[in-house]
Structure formats: C-alpha cells, structure tokens
Amino acid sequence: MPQPVINLSRGMPPVELFPTEELIECGEAALRRDGDVLLQYGRSPGYAPLREWLGEQHGVGPEQVLIGNGSLEILSFATQTLLRPGDRAFVESPSYDRAITMLRRAGAQVVGIPMEDDGMDMAALDGELQRGPPALMYLITDFHNPTGITTSLEKRARLAALAEEHGFWIAEDSPYRLLRYEGQDIPSLWSLAPERVLLLSSFSKLLAPGLRLGYAVGPADAISTLANWAVDTYIGPVLPTQGMVYEYCRRGLLERNIERLKGVYRPRLQAVLAALEKHLPQASWPRPEGGFYVGVTLPQGVEMASLLARSEEARLKLSDGRGFFPHPPDGDRFLRFPFCSVTPEEIEEGMSRLACIL
C-alpha cells in the first residue's frame, strides 16, 4: 500500500476545530430573535449589532466598520475604489498570492518590496518611492502569509509616516493577529495611522472559513465609499452568518475558542521549526510567533518545477513558491509551510520526505 499523501500546501483550519455545535445554537438563536432582518435584503454595510460589536473591539463607532463576504472581497472593493488603471501598488515580496491577483485585476502596476526578518526592506522601499509613490500598499504585518514574519514596531512607525508624507493608502491585512503563541503584541499599523490605513480581518481563521465573513475598519468616508460600492455589487452581504457570529461573540465564546486554537497550533509551529532544524539545516527561515505559516528559502541549486515533480513521487503536496512573488522567478527556491492542518507526526514525516528529494 502506498504511503499517505502529506499536504503541506494550503492554510486551511482543520475541520475538527470548527465550533459546529455552538454555531448551530447561535444561528438558531439569531434567526429566532432577528429573522426578519437577517433573511431580508439588507442595503447596508453589514448587520448593525455586529458592526457595533466590532467597533467596540477597535475603539471606533460602527460608521467606521464595513462587514462583507470575506476580507478578500473587501480588498477587491478597495482596489476598485482606491486605484486607477496604471497606478502603482506596493506589496511585500513575497506576498499573499490572491492579493497580487486582485491588484493586477484592478490594472495596477504591482511592485514587490523584498522582505527582511522584521518586515519590509526599508532601503528598497525608499528606492521605489523615489521612482514614484504607490496609490495603495498591501501589507500583512502580523504573522505574514506566506513567511510568518511580523513587522517590527520601528518599521510600522516608519511605514505610517511614509503613508502620511506621500499620501498613499495602506491595506493592512490582519487575519492572524489574534493567533499569537508567544511574545508580545505590537500596535497595529492602523492604530499608528488611522487616517491612511484600512484594517482588514475576518473570522475565517478564528471560527470557520465557510462563514465568508470579513470586515474592514477605517476612516468613515473611506468606509462609506466601500459600502456604496458593495451595495452596488450585491445589494447586501450574507446577513444570516453575520447574525450567527454576532450571537457567538455576544455570548463571550470567541475568546475561549481562540485560546483553544492556540493550544492546538502552538505545538504544530514548534514541530515545524524543530523539523526544519533537523532535516533542512542548509535552508533559512524566520521564527514566527504565531499565525499559520513558516516561509523557507531552500538552498542554492533548487529549482521549483523539478522539486514539485519529485514531491509528487514522494507523495508530498507542496505550494509553488513562485506564485507568492510579483516577479515569479524570485520564488524559485521558496516554500510556504502551513502547519495548521497537519499533526506534529505528519510534519516530521513531511520534512523527512522533503529532505530526501532536495
């Protein structure tokens, strides 16, 4: 019998961690309490009680909160309203592959800024700014996808100052921020420049991705613009799941669930780091303190297309690292390791197989 496939390609929460029974109870309670609203067309920026709750978490009023069908969709709206075809858009290199796609669909010239262990290479950023500022910069400052890097406070402060100086927008994507397993929180970039930053997040990593529930926090006028675009796109978002999630949060269940997730994911991150040191000492990687991913730069001489072909023979499923870079050849030696859905035993076996085919 062939050995089982080990999937190290996608950052999907394991289904056994979904709080299914609690969500069923909360969904029923929400529909019984407010079904006339939740089941009707809703020309709104989202379910009002949940907008208020989210505003309280971030210290703003509900007029500064937009809820949509996943944060990626809200990012798409931002690219359509903040960019014009031909505008420059800066991203970390590597970056979330779907964000690169969204920016290009909007007609932007996507410019990748190399990463260092504490965030964007500021010297490289300064050089690109001399060639012309972006209209929009997309960043993942906490537990970056795909590297796992967290941007330092010093660099966040510098980015905030540059956004103010040059007048560009920053989309700070923050779906992993609450999944910190060690170390101390760093102030969000949004908190440092609230008039220039749109903070994006979602419940996909904290509850379940199938809820398709994301949100943005930002200046009231920018949120209003996004909300008008959203209403013209789909009339109203999916309100029943918003009601369900509001009930879940109202009952105080979210904090407990986050702690449960940390208890599962923390040892998996530790297992990835230990397995890398054991099996791939010739590679290099950061040491994330949370999130879902560790980004690994493989040794010189590795070529991605050949590696992916060998990985199939080893029954190992890997992501093509080139997809995370605006200039794909830059990712020819890059691998993203998501540890959320694999056990420590699978991580150990997967790294052993990978070492054998390098």
Side-chain angles (χ1 to χ4, degrees):
M1 178 179 294
Q3 59 187 348
V5 174
I6 296 177
N7 190 341
L8 293 174
S9 66
R10 293 194 66 190
M12 298 173 63
V15 297
E16 61 269 21
L17 292 185
F18 297 160
T20 305
E21 292 301 319
E22 291 176 334
L23 288 173
I24 290 171
E25 293 177 10
C26 291
E28 179 179 357
L31 286 170
R32 292 192 182 281
R33 183 185 63 249
D34 212 7
D36 289 351
V37 172
L38 297 174
L39 297 176
Q40 185 55 277
Y41 282 119
R43 296 181 62 86
S44 72
Y47 185 50
L50 183 57
R51 291 176 68 214
E52 292 172 3
W53 186 89
L54 287 167
E56 290 172 1
Q57 306 308 303
H58 294 281
V60 299
E63 72 280 357
Q64 290 188 241
V65 179
L66 169 69
I67 307 175
N69 303 324
S71 58
L72 188 63
E73 184 175 62
I74 298 176
L75 175 62
S76 174
F77 297 161
T79 66
Q80 295 294 327
T81 57
L82 299 178
L83 288 170
R84 296 172 300 178
D87 279 350
R88 284 158 63 83
F90 290 3
V91 300
E92 297 146 319
S93 183
S95 186
Y96 180 36
D97 52 350
R98 287 177 175 82
I100 295 173
T101 297
M102 290 292 179
L103 291 165
R104 286 185 169 146
R105 280 183 182 174
Q109 300 178 36
V110 180
V111 177
I113 308 298
M115 295 281 282
E116 298 178 319
D117 284 346
D118 64 343
M120 197 174 262
D121 182 332
M122 302 308 289
L125 174 60
D126 287 339
E128 281 297 338
L129 286 171
Q130 290 177 11
R131 298 180 181 93
L136 177 65
M137 179 184 289
Y138 172 83
L139 301 171
I140 305 174
T141 51
D142 291 291
F143 319 127
H144 178 260
N145 177 8
T147 66
I149 288 169
T150 292
T151 300
S152 66
L153 178 58
E154 179 183 4
K155 288 190 174 181
R156 294 181 197 218
R158 176 63 176 151
L159 288 164
L162 288 172
E164 296 281 1
E165 177 184 349
H166 294 278
F168 60 81
W169 284 97
I170 295 176
E172 181 183 22
D173 202 356
S174 188
Y176 310 101
R177 180 175 174 84
L178 296 180
L179 294 176
R180 173 176 282 280
Y181 315 133
E182 59 182 81
Q184 299 297 317
D185 285 337
I186 299 174
S188 67
L189 189 53
W190 171 77
S191 71
L192 300 176
E195 294 304 313
R196 301 305 315 169
V197 177
L198 287 172
L199 177 68
L200 306 174
S201 193
S202 82
F203 289 89
S204 293
K205 309 303 187 292
L206 306 180
L207 290 178
L211 294 169
R212 306 315 305 138
L213 202 167
Y215 64 93
V217 179
D221 55 349
I223 292 296
S224 177
T225 298
L226 289 173
N228 289 335
W229 187 276
V231 167
D232 287 342
T233 301
Y234 52 43
I235 301 177
V238 180
L239 293 178
T241 53
Q242 295 188 23
M244 174 194 295
V245 170
Y246 168 68
E247 181 67 18
Y248 190 91
C249 295
R250 186 185 70 83
R251 294 184 180 191
L253 300 174
L254 183 62
E255 295 81 1
R256 187 181 70 188
N257 196 60
I258 290 171
E259 291 306 311
R260 183 172 69 101
L261 296 177
K262 289 180 181 181
V264 174
Y265 294 147
R266 183 183 292 111
R268 296 184 179 190
L269 170 56
Q270 294 168 347
V272 169
L273 296 175
L276 284 168
E277 291 174 359
K278 177 180 178 181
H279 296 290
L280 298 177
Q282 70 275 38
S284 61
W285 59 89
R287 297 191 66 86
E289 295 181 326
F292 272 21
Y293 306 105
V294 180
V296 178
T297 301
L298 298 172
Q300 291 284 350
V302 174
E303 191 270 327
M304 183 59 60
S306 174
L307 176 62
L308 293 175
R310 294 195 300 274
S311 71
E312 288 189 17
E313 298 175 2
R315 298 185 65 77
L316 189 62
K317 194 169 183 180
L318 303 174
S319 292
D320 187 337
R322 294 170 294 188
F324 300 106
F325 289 78
H327 182 240
D330 291 344
D332 209 38
R333 294 190 293 125
F334 180 81
L335 283 179
R336 180 187 73 172
F337 287 98
F339 52 84
C340 47
S341 292
V342 281
T343 65
E345 294 76 19
E346 290 170 326
I347 290 167
E348 168 67 20
E349 173 63 20
M351 289 293 181
S352 175
R353 293 185 198 178
L354 177 62
C356 290
I357 61 174
L358 286 180

